[in-house]
Amino acid sequence: MWLIAALALLCLTSLLIGAGEVGPLTSLATLVGHPIGAATGSDEARFVMTELRGPRTLVGLAVGASLGIAGALLQAVARNPLAEPGLLGVSAGSAFAIAVALVLGASAATLRVSVAQLGAVCGCAFVLGASRLNAVGQDPIRLVLTGAVLSGLLGALTSLLLLMDQRAADEIRFWLVGSLAGRRLADLQAILPSLALAATITLTIARPLSALALGERVAVGLGHHPRRVRLLAIAVVAMLVGAATAVAGPIAFVGLVVPFAARAIAGPDIRRTLWLALILGPMVVIAADIVARVVVAPSELSLGVITALIGAPVLIAVVRSRRLPTL
């Protein structure tokens, strides 16, 4: 319950604090229905709350939950605590696919979501294919290096697209930094069908994934189908990462930090980890977004920069852990 209360407090803080001229006291007065100052100032505060910070906070909730659960599922399938969408190239595949779509003239949010999910599927396929190679699947560090190679390659190709098409370059650059700024409710509505389908599938595979953690023979003995469970988990990861990337751009380390914290609280049970990721993911994203707004006000930092500053120490802690090889 205290995590839910903390998330609610962060959401309230997100509504009250921003990089603009509308301060916390004015925002709070507007929120409770007692605006301060002239009518023009009150209208401005109401606009900021309902059209800017409100949608931004809701999108942050969706993006955080998506990346947190995707990270937990990917780690469970790969049995690797370093299996994070950003580190293993899944987010890079999604981002590159959207960059290609933007260069080709795509603008509809729903189209971007579909393209991003296709790119995420390709990233997942590459990662899991690499994990089947001799020595790579048994060594988490080498697996991450393989993902880093993929991310670097796709990043270079994306930069090449920026040079080839100046018309789309500004839009791609703005989107690639990873941010919740300027996001609207329409962006959230575009990804809701994917999130609903992903949530439904996750509920059906949570128990089989828990059994799979005990070994394939145990899972088969309990009536589950390991291959089918893994494929469904990959599909969910692709849907979640694709949706989050389409609406907020590539945001690294959330899928690493959230499962790490969830397992520290709840232990190795994937079902409890998933429920905690549903809360911790939005907490990390919204907290990072608040910091991004205020640390260099009246300007804003990229959300991806803040999550990287949070995630890098966690990555070092995971690498130094004695239990690194498997989950």
Side-chain angles (χ1 to χ4, degrees):
M1 290 299 295
W2 65 271
L3 286 176
I4 297 177
L7 177 58
L9 181 60
L10 281 172
C11 290
L12 177 61
T13 305
S14 178
L15 292 174
L16 299 181
I17 295 179
E21 297 179 356
V22 179
L25 292 179
T26 304
S27 300
L28 182 60
T30 303
L31 187 64
V32 299
H34 299 287
I36 298 174
T40 303
S42 300
D43 291 341
E44 180 185 1
R46 191 175 295 108
F47 174 82
V48 169
M49 296 281 290
T50 59
E51 299 297 328
L52 298 179
R53 295 179 189 169
R56 182 172 184 165
T57 301
L58 292 176
V59 171
L61 288 170
V63 169
S66 298
L67 293 177
I69 293 176
L73 287 174
L74 190 56
Q75 290 178 11
V77 170
R79 297 181 63 84
N80 187 332
L82 295 180
E84 192 266 342
L87 290 176
L88 297 188
V90 181
S91 296
S94 184
F96 175 69
I98 293 183
V100 172
L102 290 174
V103 169
L104 294 178
S107 59
T110 52
L111 176 60
R112 289 191 191 182
V113 174
S114 301
V115 170
Q117 290 168 344
L118 177 61
V121 167
C122 294
C124 283
F126 183 90
V127 168
L128 294 181
S131 68
R132 300 289 183 183
L133 298 177
N134 290 335
V136 175
Q138 304 298 322
D139 188 342
I141 303 299
R142 293 184 64 181
L143 184 58
V144 170
L145 291 176
T146 304
V149 170
L150 175 64
S151 297
L153 174 61
L154 294 177
L157 293 175
T158 302
S159 298
L160 182 61
L161 291 177
L162 294 177
L163 296 175
M164 293 174 58
D165 191 335
Q166 293 298 321
R167 176 189 58 82
D170 291 338
E171 185 177 2
I172 295 175
R173 271 195 209 94
F174 174 78
W175 173 80
L176 280 177
V177 297
S179 175
L180 300 180
R183 296 332 187 240
R184 298 289 186 264
L185 288 179
D187 298 318
L188 179 60
Q189 292 170 355
I191 66 173
L192 282 180
S194 296
L195 299 186
L197 179 59
T200 302
I201 298 176
T202 301
L203 289 175
T204 63
I205 65 174
R207 184 181 295 274
L209 275 175
S210 182
L212 194 58
L214 302 176
E216 288 200 13
R217 292 185 178 180
V218 175
V220 171
L222 293 174
H224 302 302
H225 302 276
R227 180 178 176 83
R228 184 186 306 170
V229 172
R230 290 194 181 96
L231 289 176
L232 287 173
I234 294 168
V236 171
V237 169
M239 283 189 284
L240 293 175
V241 174
T245 305
V247 73
I251 300 175
F253 288 110
V254 176
L256 174 72
V257 172
V258 171
F260 181 79
R263 284 194 300 272
I265 296 173
D269 189 343
I270 184 61
R271 290 169 293 184
R272 298 183 64 186
T273 298
L274 289 173
W275 282 114
L276 281 173
L278 187 63
I279 302 174
L280 292 174
M283 289 179 64
V284 171
V285 170
I286 292 177
D289 186 48
I290 293 171
V291 173
R293 298 182 214 174
V294 302
V295 69
V296 290
S299 300
E300 292 191 16
L301 280 179
S302 164
L303 175 60
V305 171
I306 303 300
T307 57
L309 291 175
I310 297 173
V314 176
L315 175 62
I316 294 173
V318 175
V319 170
R320 290 176 60 87
S321 173
R322 295 180 180 179
R323 296 182 296 173
L324 177 60
T326 57
L327 289 174

